[in-house]
Amino acid sequence: MPVPPSNLDPKIAERLKRSADGLVPAIAQQYDTGEVLMLAWMNDEALHRTLTTGRCTYWSRSRREYWVKGESSGHQQWVKSVALDCDGDAILVKVDQVGAACHTGDRTCWDADVLDAVVGERPGS
């Protein structure tokens, strides 16, 4: 799928590895505690808006439109830093989260469904 027009810096755009629908997963993390808050999706323009406005902008796959986190709910995300992973196929946005990050009203999207798992131990510890 061709990448829709965007104002994203071409040097950043050429580094992105997008899904077939032109999206890159974006993890939002609380900047001061390291708490992982949510996963959403960005295309080039959503990343551009995030980089240039100080607010997280995502692409809604279900509504097929941009959304600024907290615009309607008041649960805003204020950008502190943005990084690409080594492969350019994921974005990490460190934010100052106001209120809940999850659409369910939970602080994070990982509060409610912790799975049972064997806990590994590093050898020699």
Side-chain angles (χ1 to χ4, degrees):
M1 170 180 274
V3 177
S6 169
N7 292 311
L8 182 63
D9 180 332
K11 290 178 183 176
I12 298 170
E14 71 186 22
R15 294 174 57 199
L16 295 177
K17 291 186 182 143
R18 301 164 195 84
S19 66
D21 50 0
L23 301 174
V24 179
I27 296 286
Q29 180 182 34
Q30 179 64 33
Y31 81 100
D32 54 354
T33 65
E35 179 182 33
V36 178
L37 300 169
M38 58 178 276
L39 177 133
W41 298 91
M42 291 185 178
N43 62 13
D44 289 30
E45 184 60 20
L47 179 55
H48 168 73
R49 292 178 189 188
T50 298
L51 291 169
T52 60
T53 65
R55 297 281 306 277
C56 286
T57 301
Y58 300 106
W59 177 254
S60 170
R61 296 176 299 165
S62 59
R63 296 190 311 267
R64 314 255 340 130
E65 65 185 16
Y66 295 102
W67 56 281
V68 177
K69 181 67 176 167
E71 201 167 52
S72 59
S73 68
H75 298 170
Q76 302 157 341
Q77 290 178 344
W78 297 95
V79 175
K80 296 298 181 182
S81 69
V82 181
L84 294 178
D85 78 338
C86 60
D87 298 326
D89 62 1
I91 300 165
L92 176 64
V93 186
K94 293 189 178 182
V95 302
D96 189 7
Q97 176 71 46
V98 176
C102 188
H103 70 280
T104 64
D106 285 342
R107 170 75 180 161
T108 85
C109 293
W110 286 275
D111 278 348
D113 199 10
V114 177
L115 305 177
D116 289 332
V118 172
V119 176
E121 294 293 334
R122 182 170 43 179
S125 49

